[in-house]
Amino acid sequence: MWAKEKTDMETKILSRSYLETLSTADLISIADDYGIDVPDDLNRRFIIGELLEVAEELELERSTQSDMHIADSAALDTELPETFNETQVGMVMRNPVWAFVYWDIKESVRARFTTEADFKALVLRVSFFTDEEEQNPEESFDVQIDETVREQYVLFPVGKQFVRIDLVMRYQSKPDEILAFTKKYVLSHGSPLLSSLYPGHEAQISELAALSSLKELLKEHYQNHRQSFLS
């Protein structure tokens, strides 16, 4: 009940003409409700001025909250577009040997897949470097990708230092065209002992390490994830 009366009062005090109709005692009472300290000898015009300022602040606060609610609702109703119509490629390492590669291609570039008769394939070119400043890769390979997808897992061989991913259009009779490329990423390296352990090769394992069933764990890993041992 009090909340309703206060809301009605807030609506009424938006008008100076309404406040002018009230007695000084009523103005002081309303001021007290809003925490305004009114001296006994304060002119009623100053009391009305103070109340109008409070009313203006309340209206501004309600307006701001309403705008925030509308903005929040709009944000919830907005879905991210399937594509931002930009040609770019990025990479996130899932573990030391598997990378998640994602890309986007502008519609004007994508149209060339079907309009250019010399177009052969869209590929991810995976290039490895010995250091970050090196220009020419020491090794590279291509992964052909479907023209309709925008993501791909790529397996890296072990023992590499840096990697860069290029998004490339391959042609039948002219040089490849690099559409986009990532920065060079430094690759993680495991223990040299672990990387040298594989079936058919006996590594020097201490008696203490052997007690941990390291060889058995490695054998199981090789059987289930042997791609990680490719070099």
Side-chain angles (χ1 to χ4, degrees):
M1 182 67 177
W2 164 246
K4 183 178 185 304
E5 289 177 354
K6 188 171 183 180
T7 301
D8 293 340
M9 188 182 303
E10 289 172 359
T11 303
K12 290 178 180 178
I13 65 175
L14 291 176
S15 170
R16 176 183 289 271
S17 60
Y18 169 71
L19 293 175
E20 293 285 359
T21 65
L22 300 178
S23 66
T24 302
D26 289 335
L27 292 175
I28 293 174
S29 177
I30 294 174
D32 185 61
D33 290 338
Y34 287 98
I36 302 173
D37 186 19
V38 180
D40 295 336
D41 57 347
L42 187 64
N43 188 291
R44 62 181 281 113
R45 287 183 301 154
F46 291 102
I47 301 176
I48 292 174
E50 291 288 338
L51 288 173
L52 287 174
E53 287 186 13
V54 170
E56 185 178 353
E57 291 175 0
L58 290 172
E59 182 62 27
L60 179 60
E61 182 179 348
R62 282 196 297 267
S63 176
T64 302
Q65 291 177 347
S66 177
D67 292 343
M68 290 177 61
H69 177 71
I70 293 173
D72 291 342
S73 299
L76 291 174
D77 293 338
T78 301
E79 295 183 1
L80 290 177
E82 184 177 356
T83 174
F84 290 97
N85 199 31
E86 297 179 354
T87 301
Q88 57 186 356
V89 61
M91 184 190 82
V92 176
M93 294 300 299
R94 180 182 178 185
N95 56 43
V97 293
W98 281 103
F100 178 74
V101 183
Y102 56 93
W103 60 91
D104 197 5
I105 302 175
K106 292 180 64 173
E107 290 303 320
S108 59
V109 177
R110 190 176 293 275
R112 293 163 52 193
F113 298 164
T114 55
T115 58
E116 295 190 13
D118 204 34
F119 172 73
K120 182 178 181 180
L122 184 67
V123 301
L124 295 176
R125 180 157 297 155
V126 184
S127 301
F128 300 101
F129 302 83
T130 56
D131 62 69
E132 194 171 8
E133 303 301 325
E134 186 179 14
Q135 298 299 316
N136 299 318
E138 62 172 349
E139 179 186 344
S140 63
F141 63 86
D142 289 349
V143 178
Q144 185 166 336
I145 53 180
D146 192 308
E147 301 161 17
T148 62
V149 301
R150 293 185 172 88
E151 57 190 42
Q152 171 80 40
Y153 276 103
V154 177
L155 176 69
F156 296 157
V158 297
K160 302 302 180 182
Q161 304 296 320
F162 293 88
V163 64
R164 188 189 71 204
I165 307 292
D166 299 346
L167 182 62
V168 180
M169 285 181 66
R170 296 184 62 184
Y171 295 93
Q172 300 282 355
S173 57
K174 64 179 182 179
D176 296 345
E177 178 183 352
I178 298 178
L179 301 178
F181 56 89
T182 68
K183 67 177 184 179
K184 291 176 183 173
Y185 289 88
V186 59
L187 296 175
S188 301
H189 295 85
S191 166
L193 175 61
L194 294 178
S195 62
S196 66
L197 287 175
Y198 55 86
H201 180 270
E202 288 293 332
Q204 298 298 321
I205 302 177
S206 67
E207 294 183 3
L208 183 60
L211 292 175
S212 68
S213 302
L214 182 60
K215 286 187 177 181
E216 288 74 12
L217 288 172
L218 180 70
K219 182 178 180 180
E220 180 182 353
H221 179 72
Y222 181 82
Q223 291 173 340
N224 294 285
H225 310 283
R226 67 187 63 193
Q227 296 91 338
S228 301
F229 288 82
L230 297 176
S231 60

